[in-house]
Amino acid sequence: MAEPLLTPRNGLPELVSTEKAFKEIISELEGGFGPIAIDAERASGFRYFPRAYLIQINRREGGLHLIDPISIGETKLWSQFNSAFHDEEWILHASTQDLPCLAELGLKPKILFDTELGGRIAGCERVGLGSLCENLLEIQLAKEHSAVDWSTRPLKEEWLNYAALDVDVLIDLRDSVEKLLADNGKLDWAKEEFAHILTLPTTTERVDPWRRTSGMHKIRDRRALNAIKNLWQVRDLYASENDVAPGRIFNDETMMELITKRPTSVDQFAKILMKRTRYQDLPAAEWFAIYEDALAADEKELPPMRGSGTGLPAIKIWENKNPLGYARATHIRAKVNELATLIGMPPENLVSPEVIKKLCWSEPPTSELSAYIESTLRIAGARGWQVALIAPHFEVGMRETTPLKVAPPLEEGITQQ
């Protein structure tokens, strides 16, 4: 049975909030050995910008440290830290969440070990930090402060204790995950994935992000869609100017209510807007005018009902649009699911749904099909270990012209990092 770990094993360190103290802990960490365990706390759900409000670092014989990047501010010491440990392995859990806010400070690892992704590749069913610690280290972590507002100052001691625990166990967890990967013959796969993560951009621009508004299935006409677009954009601008999470200005449910109830006056608009917001100074009259203009816009200015990006449509609607592509996709997806089960890995970590779509959409050549499959996979972003595993299984599926009668699910799934 997992033993609860309530406080860091060597005690809770003081919060580092000055350049002098930061410089001292860099020296302490340089006196340690082995990889650097690092974590960051952001104020997701509270703030617009995903900056780091607390950074936790641990190294064997170098100590566990809590750093307040807000109090320290911009300083060349961030660059000094990065240079001092740039050639060491950095351990993060679910690294793609924290790498952007670390990069904002100039902290960019060259060697990465991601315990969450490593757990997925190893075949662990539950890969949250707490679950992995329970299963691999027989340690139970308290998680009651995971959703607090880390932009709050001063930071509470119980929050700091919670945050410190994450990196207190991270080095031991890394060693356990590495052993599990090595025992299953998957360590090289994981290393290739970790290296790939470091090649990804830390920020990405979404095409038409307003189309991801919850409840879009209720929208049936382009004028309503235009109103969604404009309201989303004014909310996003207000949120960025005030560094507040957009959902705290007003949530998507409120936006949908504004669209479906079609208020005809500022008072009606404001009544809906204000009942679910903490911000009573919202410019309701100004936003109502934008809302009215969106509904009354010229036909040629209205957005199309579906996105106009270059991405391929969801496989589940291919059956009529591209029946041969659909047939190929059902067989390929079946092959992926079968292989993923065999090697003990989620299908989306073996090959992403987007890669399957790119492979199956176009008619394949009648000759040199294996070379075509391998080339398409690589161009679409599949890594070497993935190509070696899946390419040999795809050739038969790519020749199919009749879809599977009982096909595996064709949802888009969780895209691979």
Side-chain angles (χ1 to χ4, degrees), residues 254 257-258 261-275 284 288 291-292:
T254 301
E257 187 175 351
L258 289 168
K261 290 191 175 179
R262 298 284 178 100
T264 57
S265 68
V266 174
D267 289 343
Q268 292 175 355
F269 184 90
K271 184 176 181 181
I272 295 172
L273 183 66
M274 296 304 179
K275 69 181 181 181
F288 177 69
Y291 162 82
E292 278 195 311

Side-chain angles (χ1 to χ4, degrees), residues 21 140 166 206 249 298 306:
Q140 183 179 358
D166 285 356
R206 291 189 181 274
I249 307 299
D298 189 274
R306 293 193 177 276

Side-chain angles (χ1 to χ4, degrees), residues 127-194:
V127 294
L129 183 60
S131 297
L132 284 178
C133 285
E134 287 189 40
N135 294 330
L136 300 182
L137 302 180
E138 297 186 346
I139 291 174
Q140 183 179 358
L141 295 179
K143 304 301 291 182
E144 64 268 22
H145 301 299
S146 59
V148 299
D149 181 1
W150 290 96
S151 67
T152 301
R153 291 296 183 273
L155 291 166
K156 297 180 181 179
E157 182 174 327
E158 57 266 30
W159 297 4
L160 296 174
N161 185 78
Y162 152 82
L165 290 174
D166 285 356
V167 291
D168 191 33
V169 300
L170 204 51
I171 300 175
D172 294 338
L173 183 61
R174 173 243 182 261
D175 292 345
S176 294
V177 171
E178 182 184 55
K179 183 179 185 306
L180 193 59
L181 287 164
D183 290 346
N184 292 327
K186 298 177 177 179
L187 184 56
D188 287 341
W189 303 353
K191 287 181 178 180
E192 193 169 350
E193 287 301 290
F194 302 157

Side-chain angles (χ1 to χ4, degrees), residues 13-32 36 55-59 61-68 72 77-78 80-81 84-85:
E14 289 188 14
L15 180 63
V16 172
S17 56
T18 66
E19 287 193 47
K20 179 182 178 182
F22 187 17
K23 188 173 183 179
E24 289 173 357
I25 70 160
I26 292 175
S27 296
E28 286 185 45
L29 288 164
E30 285 180 312
I36 300 286
I55 293 176
Q56 309 98 281
I57 300 172
N58 189 20
R59 193 183 194 195
E61 301 300 326
L64 190 159
H65 307 278
L66 302 176
I67 304 168
D68 181 356
I72 292 175
L77 290 176
W78 296 114
Q80 182 179 325
F81 176 94
F85 305 108

Side-chain angles (χ1 to χ4, degrees), residues 333 347-348 350-357 386 414-416:
R333 191 63 176 166
E348 62 269 11
L350 180 58
V351 57
S352 76
E354 282 301 312
V355 171
I356 293 176
K357 286 164 63 175
Q386 295 169 319
I414 303 171
T415 56
Q416 185 177 357

Side-chain angles (χ1 to χ4, degrees), residues 108-126:
K108 300 177 180 180
K110 188 167 69 174
I111 308 169
L112 173 69
F113 194 104
D114 186 325
T115 48
E116 192 255 7
L117 180 55
R120 286 188 190 280
I121 295 172
C124 298
E125 291 186 9
R126 299 166 62 202

